[in-house]
């Protein structure tokens, strides 16, 4: 359809850009506050016919809503970690459900979609890949944040928690496509969902690199016999914990995306709804990839523990072999150290070199036998 033919280009940046964005997001997010608005409000704007309505001064949420009710359009308000007091006035102005307001303020929510009489409440967990030179037992691989969205007939409110997941660039891209923004708040909801899932894809690619690195170290021969000794199990376990955090963000979101794509909702434009199916497909692919990560790390951890056990057995065999060799001279010298008067060849001129030679010959013979059997 011509009105939204450029939807994918607007809301999905390139994979390379995504990887760079996830790397820099923890320091590049914009939390600029305007003194004329509540301290948690990052941006507040009115959109009419797909364009941002110019304003001589920054609007408060109440002023923006009055404009919308008088002239039409919708208001998009962005907040960053509001307190209960800061959010109370906005919640009252827009008639937000108290349970959703409580979740938005307290954060640490599971990804979900909740429908109330006049609004939809959606929770997304954002994922940021933490760059590191080398994976260690204490490395943080992924960092999570939250974006909570209130979608109404004439308003859209985003509440962000965490130092990453800025929506400023996304807002600018949407403002460059008036035909898309003309579809209303549901177009913004889809753009955010698509943006979050694209971030998952970029992070999954980066985590795959870490897993490949660990897998290579585990299965590369570190010494004779093919046993690798260069991988600490704590590193694998730490990576597994980070993948688990990733899975907690991805898995619960699949059902909400399916609902948005399959079930008609009066707050979601029918032309936008079909595009949620594409988001759900990408999310399902990421979920399969993350589940595969978990299973692969289980296998790598088990293989590493098995290799450690094999290495310990090999060390024990070598220790046992050398103990067997050393037992021969120990036994001979122990016998001759008893100082009895009547012992074999005790007073013979060549007795000492003979016993020494026999001892050495026995030790060499035992060494050759053990070497041939792979004990040394």
């Amino acid at each position: 359809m011509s009105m939204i033919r450029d939807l994918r280009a607007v809301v999905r940046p390139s994979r390379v850009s995504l990887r760079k964005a996830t790397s820099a997001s923890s320091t590049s997010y914009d939390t600029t506050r305007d003194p004329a608005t509540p301290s948690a409000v990052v941006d507040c704007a009115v959109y009419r016919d797909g364009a941002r309505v110019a304003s001589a001064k920054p609007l408060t949420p109440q002023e923006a809503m009055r404009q919308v009710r008088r002239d039409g359009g919708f208001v998009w308000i962005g907040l960053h970690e509001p307190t209960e007091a800061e959010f109370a006035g906005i919640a009252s102005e827009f008639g937000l459900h108290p349970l959703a307001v409580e979740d938005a303020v307290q954060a640490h929510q599971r990804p979900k979609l909740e429908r109330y009489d006049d609004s939809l409440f959606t929770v997304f967990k954002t994922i940021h890949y933490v760059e590191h030179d080398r994976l260690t037992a204490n490395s943080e691989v992924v960092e999570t944040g939250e974006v909570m969205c209130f979608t109404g007939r004439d308003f859209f409110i985003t509440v962000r928690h965490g130092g990453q997941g800025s929506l400023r660039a996304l807002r600018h891209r949407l403002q460059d496509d008036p035909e898309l923004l003309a579809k209303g708040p549901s177009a913004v909801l889809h753009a955010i969902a698509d943006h979050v899932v694209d971030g998952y894809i970029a992070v999954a690619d980066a985590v795959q690199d870490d897993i490949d690195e660990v897998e290579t170290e585990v299965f590369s021969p570190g010494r004779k016999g093919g046993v690798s000794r260069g991988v600490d199990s704590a590193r694998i376990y730490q990576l597994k914990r980070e993948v688990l955090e990733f899975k907690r963000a991805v898995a619960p979101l699949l059902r909400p995306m399916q609902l948005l794509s399959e079930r008609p909702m009066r707050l979601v434009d029918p032309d936008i709804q079909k595009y949620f199916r594409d988001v759900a497909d990408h999310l399902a692919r990421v979920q399969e990839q993350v589940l595969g990560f978990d299973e692969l790390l289980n296998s790598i951890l088990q293989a590493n523990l098995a290799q450690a056990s094999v290495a310990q057995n090999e060390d024990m065999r070598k220790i046992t072999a050398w103990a067997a060799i050393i037992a021969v001279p120990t036994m001979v010298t122990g016998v001759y150290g008893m100082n009895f008067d009547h012992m074999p060849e005790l007073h013979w001129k060549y007795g000492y070199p003979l016993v020494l030679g026999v001892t050495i010959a026995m030790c060499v013979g035992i060494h050759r036998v053990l070497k041939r059997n792979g004990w040394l």
Side-chain angles (χ1 to χ4, degrees):
M1 185 174 296
S2 61
M3 187 172 294
I4 50 178
R5 61 183 181 274
D6 297 326
L7 181 62
R8 309 313 302 164
V10 173
V11 298
R12 172 169 287 126
S14 66
R15 295 289 179 256
V16 174
S17 299
L18 279 168
R19 177 68 181 273
K20 292 180 179 178
T22 54
S23 300
S25 58
S26 61
T27 57
S28 64
Y29 66 90
D30 188 350
T31 56
T32 303
R33 316 296 195 208
D34 192 282
T37 60
S39 61
V41 176
V42 177
D43 200 355
C44 177
V46 173
Y47 295 88
R48 189 177 303 117
D49 298 326
R52 179 167 180 155
V53 178
S55 177
K57 64 176 183 177
L59 296 173
T60 66
Q62 291 75 16
E63 291 171 342
M65 198 59 195
R66 283 196 293 270
Q67 282 192 26
V68 168
R69 289 168 180 166
R70 183 183 69 241
D71 303 323
F74 74 94
V75 58
W76 180 359
I77 303 171
L79 301 100
H80 182 257
E81 298 183 353
T83 64
E84 185 176 352
E86 290 171 335
F87 200 41
I90 296 176
S92 176
E93 178 70 26
F94 292 92
L96 305 180
H97 196 279
L99 292 177
V101 172
E102 182 181 359
D103 288 346
V105 172
Q106 292 182 354
H108 305 295
Q109 302 298 316
R110 190 172 183 266
K112 60 184 177 179
L113 170 67
E114 294 180 346
R115 288 177 291 181
Y116 298 100
D117 292 338
D118 299 318
S119 64
L120 292 176
F121 178 59
T122 315
V123 178
F124 300 95
K125 273 195 174 293
T126 57
I127 297 291
H128 163 65
Y129 179 76
V130 181
E131 294 288 348
H132 47 267
D133 295 331
R134 186 174 185 275
L135 183 68
T136 67
N138 299 316
S139 293
E140 185 178 14
V141 179
V142 296
E143 180 183 359
T144 61
E146 292 179 54
V147 177
M148 305 177 183
C149 305
F150 293 87
T151 308
R153 181 180 58 83
D154 51 9
F155 66 86
F156 189 83
I157 302 172
T158 57
V159 180
R160 292 193 299 110
H161 290 270
Q164 42 81 29
S166 172
L167 301 175
R168 179 170 291 274
L170 178 63
R171 185 189 286 260
H172 290 165
R173 287 198 301 273
L174 286 172
Q175 290 174 174
D176 291 337
D177 191 341
E179 291 184 76
L180 177 60
L181 268 181
K183 289 295 182 179
S186 61
V188 183
L189 178 62
H190 168 267
I192 291 176
D194 194 69
H195 175 74
V196 170
V197 172
D198 277 343
Y200 292 167
I201 295 173
V203 172
D205 292 340
V207 173
Q208 179 71 67
D209 294 338
D210 285 333
I211 295 177
D212 290 343
E213 177 185 344
V214 170
E215 185 179 23
T216 300
E217 291 186 20
V218 168
F219 292 103
S220 61
R223 55 174 296 175
K224 188 175 180 181
V227 178
S228 176
R229 295 171 179 260
V231 182
D232 183 3
S233 295
R235 292 174 55 201
I236 305 175
Y237 186 71
Q238 174 66 13
L239 186 55
K240 183 174 173 60
R241 285 176 58 89
E242 297 296 301
V243 168
L244 179 61
E245 187 72 18
F246 194 1
K247 183 166 66 174
R248 287 172 179 166
V250 173
L253 187 59
L254 186 58
R255 182 56 181 166
M257 290 301 100
Q258 291 173 341
L259 290 175
L260 287 170
S261 64
E262 298 170 358
R263 185 169 299 179
M265 299 182 185
R266 58 188 178 86
L267 293 175
V268 178
D269 190 287
D271 291 333
I272 296 295
Q273 186 174 30
K274 65 185 71 174
Y275 288 95
F276 279 106
R277 188 178 303 116
D278 181 68
V279 177
D281 289 342
H282 284 88
L283 184 63
R285 189 183 72 181
V286 175
Q287 183 186 26
E288 292 175 358
Q289 193 172 3
V290 173
L291 292 176
F293 290 163
D294 193 36
E295 294 177 1
L296 181 58
L297 285 171
N298 281 335
S299 300
I300 292 174
L301 183 60
Q302 292 174 2
N304 189 62
L305 293 176
Q307 286 185 343
S309 178
V310 169
Q312 291 175 354
N313 290 338
E314 182 183 2
D315 291 340
M316 289 303 300
R317 284 196 307 175
K318 290 185 177 182
I319 293 173
T320 303
W322 283 110
I325 294 172
I326 296 174
V328 174
T330 301
M331 181 187 67
V332 173
T333 55
V335 169
Y336 277 89
M338 289 187 290
N339 296 321
F340 290 113
D341 289 334
H342 302 287
M343 297 185 70
E345 315 301 338
L346 187 62
H347 300 288
W348 185 37
K349 178 180 179 181
Y350 301 103
Y352 174 73
L354 176 63
V355 171
L356 187 61
V358 170
T359 302
I360 293 174
M362 292 177 65
C363 291
V364 170
I366 295 174
H367 183 276
R368 293 189 62 181
V369 171
L370 294 174
K371 184 80 170 179
R372 187 168 56 246
N373 290 321
W375 284 60
L376 290 174

